[in-house]
mmCIF file of all heavy atoms in Angstrom:
data_model
loop_
_atom_site.group_PDB
_atom_site.id
_atom_site.type_symbol
_atom_site.label_atom_id
_atom_site.label_comp_id
_atom_site.label_asym_id
_atom_site.label_seq_id
_atom_site.Cartn_x
_atom_site.Cartn_y
_atom_site.Cartn_z
ATOM 1 N N SER J 70 -11.521 3.725 10.114
ATOM 2 C CA SER J 70 -10.105 3.441 9.898
ATOM 3 C C SER J 70 -9.855 3.451 8.386
ATOM 4 O O SER J 70 -10.355 4.344 7.712
ATOM 5 C CB SER J 70 -9.745 2.098 10.546
ATOM 6 O OG SER J 70 -8.358 1.879 10.596
ATOM 7 N N HIS J 71 -9.173 2.471 7.860
ATOM 8 C CA HIS J 71 -8.857 2.449 6.429
ATOM 9 C C HIS J 71 -9.084 1.059 5.855
ATOM 10 O O HIS J 71 -9.159 0.076 6.611
ATOM 11 C CB HIS J 71 -7.405 2.870 6.199
ATOM 12 C CG HIS J 71 -6.390 1.957 6.851
ATOM 13 N ND1 HIS J 71 -5.777 0.924 6.181
ATOM 14 C CD2 HIS J 71 -5.912 1.896 8.120
ATOM 15 C CE1 HIS J 71 -4.954 0.283 7.007
ATOM 16 N NE2 HIS J 71 -5.017 0.855 8.195
ATOM 17 N N ASP J 73 -7.259 0.112 2.798
ATOM 18 C CA ASP J 73 -6.128 -0.291 1.947
ATOM 19 C C ASP J 73 -5.151 -1.146 2.755
ATOM 20 O O ASP J 73 -5.297 -1.287 3.976
ATOM 21 C CB ASP J 73 -5.430 0.935 1.346
ATOM 22 C CG ASP J 73 -4.725 1.791 2.387
ATOM 23 O OD1 ASP J 73 -5.288 1.959 3.493
ATOM 24 O OD2 ASP J 73 -3.613 2.281 2.126
ATOM 25 N N TYR J 81 -6.918 -7.649 8.831
ATOM 26 C CA TYR J 81 -7.514 -6.868 9.918
ATOM 27 C C TYR J 81 -7.005 -5.432 10.018
ATOM 28 O O TYR J 81 -7.718 -4.550 10.514
ATOM 29 C CB TYR J 81 -7.272 -7.581 11.255
ATOM 30 C CG TYR J 81 -7.892 -8.953 11.271
ATOM 31 C CD1 TYR J 81 -7.203 -10.067 10.794
ATOM 32 C CD2 TYR J 81 -9.195 -9.134 11.713
ATOM 33 C CE1 TYR J 81 -7.793 -11.325 10.772
ATOM 34 C CE2 TYR J 81 -9.796 -10.384 11.700
ATOM 35 C CZ TYR J 81 -9.079 -11.470 11.226
ATOM 36 O OH TYR J 81 -9.673 -12.708 11.191
ATOM 37 N N ASP J 82 -5.771 -5.206 9.599
ATOM 38 C CA ASP J 82 -5.162 -3.879 9.698
ATOM 39 C C ASP J 82 -5.950 -2.908 8.828
ATOM 40 O O ASP J 82 -5.803 -2.896 7.609
ATOM 41 C CB ASP J 82 -3.694 -3.973 9.238
ATOM 42 C CG ASP J 82 -3.002 -2.615 9.217
ATOM 43 O OD1 ASP J 82 -3.659 -1.592 9.451
ATOM 44 O OD2 ASP J 82 -1.783 -2.609 8.958
ATOM 45 N N GLY J 83 -6.779 -2.101 9.469
ATOM 46 C CA GLY J 83 -7.641 -1.165 8.752
ATOM 47 C C GLY J 83 -9.082 -1.633 8.727
ATOM 48 O O GLY J 83 -9.939 -1.055 9.406
ATOM 49 N N PRO J 84 -9.365 -2.723 7.966
ATOM 50 C CA PRO J 84 -10.764 -3.171 7.863
ATOM 51 C C PRO J 84 -11.429 -3.451 9.216
ATOM 52 O O PRO J 84 -12.628 -3.218 9.361
ATOM 53 C CB PRO J 84 -10.660 -4.448 7.016
ATOM 54 C CG PRO J 84 -9.478 -4.186 6.132
ATOM 55 C CD PRO J 84 -8.500 -3.420 6.990
ATOM 56 N N GLU J 116 -3.908 4.856 3.545
ATOM 57 C CA GLU J 116 -3.283 4.939 4.874
ATOM 58 C C GLU J 116 -1.893 4.327 4.871
ATOM 59 O O GLU J 116 -0.982 4.821 5.506
ATOM 60 C CB GLU J 116 -4.175 4.234 5.908
ATOM 61 C CG GLU J 116 -3.793 4.553 7.346
ATOM 62 C CD GLU J 116 -2.711 3.658 7.924
ATOM 63 O OE1 GLU J 116 -2.402 2.609 7.336
ATOM 64 O OE2 GLU J 116 -2.159 4.009 8.981
ATOM 65 N N GLU J 117 -1.744 3.217 4.162
ATOM 66 C CA GLU J 117 -0.481 2.482 4.254
ATOM 67 C C GLU J 117 0.632 3.111 3.418
ATOM 68 O O GLU J 117 1.805 2.846 3.652
ATOM 69 C CB GLU J 117 -0.683 1.023 3.813
ATOM 70 C CG GLU J 117 -1.671 0.240 4.683
ATOM 71 C CD GLU J 117 -1.120 -0.078 6.071
ATOM 72 O OE1 GLU J 117 -0.006 0.373 6.398
ATOM 73 O OE2 GLU J 117 -1.822 -0.767 6.831
ATOM 74 N N GLU J 180 -10.299 5.747 16.525
ATOM 75 C CA GLU J 180 -9.951 4.695 15.568
ATOM 76 C C GLU J 180 -9.698 3.392 16.310
ATOM 77 O O GLU J 180 -8.821 3.326 17.175
ATOM 78 C CB GLU J 180 -8.700 5.097 14.756
ATOM 79 C CG GLU J 180 -8.289 4.024 13.740
ATOM 80 C CD GLU J 180 -7.197 4.475 12.766
ATOM 81 O OE1 GLU J 180 -6.685 5.606 12.909
ATOM 82 O OE2 GLU J 180 -6.865 3.679 11.858
ATOM 83 N N HIS J 182 -8.317 -0.392 16.031
ATOM 84 C CA HIS J 182 -7.322 -1.022 15.169
ATOM 85 C C HIS J 182 -6.851 -2.327 15.792
ATOM 86 O O HIS J 182 -6.763 -2.432 17.008
ATOM 87 C CB HIS J 182 -6.129 -0.066 15.004
ATOM 88 C CG HIS J 182 -5.340 -0.301 13.761
ATOM 89 N ND1 HIS J 182 -4.388 -1.277 13.658
ATOM 90 C CD2 HIS J 182 -5.372 0.319 12.554
ATOM 91 C CE1 HIS J 182 -3.866 -1.241 12.437
ATOM 92 N NE2 HIS J 182 -4.443 -0.292 11.738
ATOM 93 N N VAL J 183 -6.559 -3.303 14.939
ATOM 94 C CA VAL J 183 -5.953 -4.532 15.455
ATOM 95 C C VAL J 183 -4.579 -4.173 16.016
ATOM 96 O O VAL J 183 -3.875 -3.325 15.450
ATOM 97 C CB VAL J 183 -5.850 -5.607 14.341
ATOM 98 C CG1 VAL J 183 -4.825 -5.236 13.273
ATOM 99 C CG2 VAL J 183 -5.532 -6.982 14.932
ATOM 100 N N GLN J 185 -0.730 -4.342 16.663
ATOM 101 C CA GLN J 185 0.315 -4.786 15.746
ATOM 102 C C GLN J 185 1.542 -5.254 16.515
ATOM 103 O O GLN J 185 2.673 -5.146 16.040
ATOM 104 C CB GLN J 185 0.605 -3.665 14.753
ATOM 105 C CG GLN J 185 -0.650 -3.349 13.940
ATOM 106 C CD GLN J 185 -0.490 -2.189 12.997
ATOM 107 O OE1 GLN J 185 -0.448 -1.043 13.411
ATOM 108 N NE2 GLN J 185 -0.387 -2.489 11.711
ATOM 109 N N GLY J 342 2.271 4.042 12.878
ATOM 110 C CA GLY J 342 1.561 5.285 12.591
ATOM 111 C C GLY J 342 0.118 5.004 12.209
ATOM 112 O O GLY J 342 -0.207 3.905 11.763
ATOM 113 N N HIS J 343 -0.756 5.999 12.404
ATOM 114 C CA HIS J 343 -2.177 5.826 12.085
ATOM 115 C C HIS J 343 -2.768 7.179 11.698
ATOM 116 O O HIS J 343 -2.266 8.225 12.110
ATOM 117 C CB HIS J 343 -2.948 5.282 13.296
ATOM 118 C CG HIS J 343 -2.512 3.922 13.733
ATOM 119 N ND1 HIS J 343 -2.844 2.785 13.044
ATOM 120 C CD2 HIS J 343 -1.754 3.521 14.772
ATOM 121 C CE1 HIS J 343 -2.316 1.731 13.654
ATOM 122 N NE2 HIS J 343 -1.650 2.156 14.700
ATOM 123 N N ASP J 344 -3.892 7.138 10.978
ATOM 124 C CA ASP J 344 -4.602 8.376 10.654
ATOM 125 C C ASP J 344 -4.982 9.128 11.932
ATOM 126 O O ASP J 344 -4.976 10.356 11.954
ATOM 127 C CB ASP J 344 -5.850 8.073 9.827
ATOM 128 C CG ASP J 344 -5.505 7.565 8.428
ATOM 129 O OD1 ASP J 344 -4.681 8.213 7.750
ATOM 130 O OD2 ASP J 344 -6.041 6.527 8.023
ATOM 131 N N MET J 357 -7.418 6.033 20.277
ATOM 132 C CA MET J 357 -7.469 4.737 19.610
ATOM 133 C C MET J 357 -7.764 3.617 20.592
ATOM 134 O O MET J 357 -7.426 3.704 21.771
ATOM 135 C CB MET J 357 -6.125 4.422 18.918
ATOM 136 C CG MET J 357 -5.856 5.275 17.699
ATOM 137 S SD MET J 357 -4.400 4.706 16.788
ATOM 138 C CE MET J 357 -5.049 3.259 15.921
ATOM 139 N N SER J 367 1.772 -8.323 12.239
ATOM 140 C CA SER J 367 0.952 -7.475 11.382
ATOM 141 C C SER J 367 1.704 -7.202 10.085
ATOM 142 O O SER J 367 2.880 -7.530 9.968
ATOM 143 C CB SER J 367 0.627 -6.164 12.102
ATOM 144 O OG SER J 367 -0.307 -5.420 11.359
ATOM 145 N N HIS J 368 1.014 -6.602 9.117
ATOM 146 C CA HIS J 368 1.594 -6.395 7.782
ATOM 147 C C HIS J 368 2.042 -7.737 7.208
ATOM 148 O O HIS J 368 3.082 -7.834 6.552
ATOM 149 C CB HIS J 368 2.748 -5.384 7.806
ATOM 150 C CG HIS J 368 2.257 -3.980 7.998
ATOM 151 N ND1 HIS J 368 3.076 -2.878 7.974
ATOM 152 C CD2 HIS J 368 1.007 -3.505 8.195
ATOM 153 C CE1 HIS J 368 2.354 -1.782 8.162
ATOM 154 N NE2 HIS J 368 1.102 -2.135 8.301
HETATM 155 ZN ZN1 ZN K 1 -3.701 0.313 9.832
#
Side-chain angles (χ1 to χ4, degrees):
S70 191
H71 62 95
D73 67 321
Y81 300 87
D82 176 355
E116 194 273 346
E117 298 289 4
E180 180 171 4
H182 204 279
V183 69
Q185 299 176 287
H343 297 285
D344 292 310
M357 289 189 77
S367 188
H368 287 184

